[in-house]
Amino acid sequence: TDVELMAASADGSVVVAVGIDNEVAVWIKGQQYTIETADVLLKRASSSSMTSAITALAVNDAGSLFAVGTGTGVCALWSIGTAAMKSPTHVMVPTSSSAVSALFFVESKPPGPYSTMPPSSRPSSPQRSPTLLASLENGAVVKWDTSTYTPTHIAPSRDGSVIWSTVLRLSEPHRLIAVFCMDDGTLELQDAVPTGDALLIPNCYLAAGNSFD
């Protein structure tokens, strides 16, 4: 089947692909596994004979997790390489039924001055669970800590309607910026996964124009 979406771990040892028929295949060091997604696709479908489609895919850098998003706003997460890999570890259903347009994993960064220390002088730090972040076609942005799966909605700080939103990954792998295009023509930027060292000033927005531009 033709490949619609593909993502890989940082070292390329884990590759996940989605075909046009919503079949998901995982390659772990060359060994292929097929993943069943029917239950995920049926969630929020209007009838048992109708299904959604997989619209987004992400793999975390370590190659231990992958997630898919559907056209009805459902996000499902799998643990890679475990005995239970054929079934999702967790299924997240946001309040919005808008399609998931993009998914991102970000590895949690220790707070405070840890990140500015030379690697040789850093104290040992406990392993932290990655954060999964989803942007939806209706402009919503939602994130989950994969240790608790409690959703956090990222929203603009000012009143107004969101025309569209997107998420940008910076050169530092733990940095994601949520961008909201507002109905007054401004762009608001937010640090999607804040850490101890602030990246953006509070209420950071760009007056790029107006609603008629």
Side-chain angles (χ1 to χ4, degrees):
T1 182
D2 292 339
V3 173
E4 284 277 281
L5 303 167
M6 181 174 287
S9 60
D11 63 1
S13 63
V14 174
V15 178
V16 183
V18 178
I20 58 174
D21 58 357
N22 294 308
E23 181 182 78
V24 175
V26 179
W27 288 268
I28 304 174
K29 296 181 178 179
Q31 180 69 42
Q32 181 179 346
Y33 302 86
T34 300
I35 306 300
E36 179 59 55
T37 60
D39 289 346
V40 174
L41 293 171
L42 285 170
K43 286 187 179 294
R44 278 189 171 153
S46 58
S47 72
S48 59
S49 62
M50 297 181 63
T51 62
S52 177
I54 295 175
T55 56
L57 170 69
V59 177
N60 74 325
D61 285 347
S64 59
L65 299 169
F66 80 90
V68 302
T70 75
T72 54
V74 175
C75 296
L77 182 142
W78 281 259
S79 293
I80 296 174
T82 65
M85 187 171 66
K86 286 189 174 295
S87 299
T89 305
H90 202 85
V91 177
M92 294 79 76
V93 185
T95 54
S96 171
S97 59
S98 180
V100 179
S101 57
L103 289 169
F104 301 86
F105 280 104
V106 58
E107 307 296 332
S108 298
K109 176 186 173 185
Y114 180 92
S115 61
T116 62
M117 299 178 182
S120 60
S121 62
R122 292 177 182 176
S124 59
S125 178
Q127 185 68 31
R128 293 164 177 252
S129 298
T131 295
L132 175 64
L133 190 141
S135 62
L136 280 63
E137 285 188 354
N138 66 354
V141 178
V142 188
K143 66 179 179 180
W144 296 268
D145 182 324
T146 57
S147 64
T148 63
Y149 299 105
T150 301
T152 300
H153 292 263
I154 303 172
S157 60
R158 299 176 299 125
D159 293 334
S161 298
V162 178
I163 305 301
W164 55 262
S165 68
T166 189
V167 176
L168 304 177
R169 185 185 293 277
L170 302 187
S171 57
E172 295 181 74
H174 60 274
R175 289 296 203 187
L176 292 177
I177 301 298
V179 181
F180 299 95
C181 178
M182 308 301 293
D183 58 359
D184 63 357
T186 61
L187 292 176
E188 179 166 339
L189 282 63
Q190 291 191 29
D191 194 344
V193 187
T195 60
D197 48 337
L199 179 66
L200 300 171
I201 62 172
N203 301 319
C204 179
Y205 65 91
L206 306 175
N210 56 52
S211 56
F212 300 102
D213 287 346

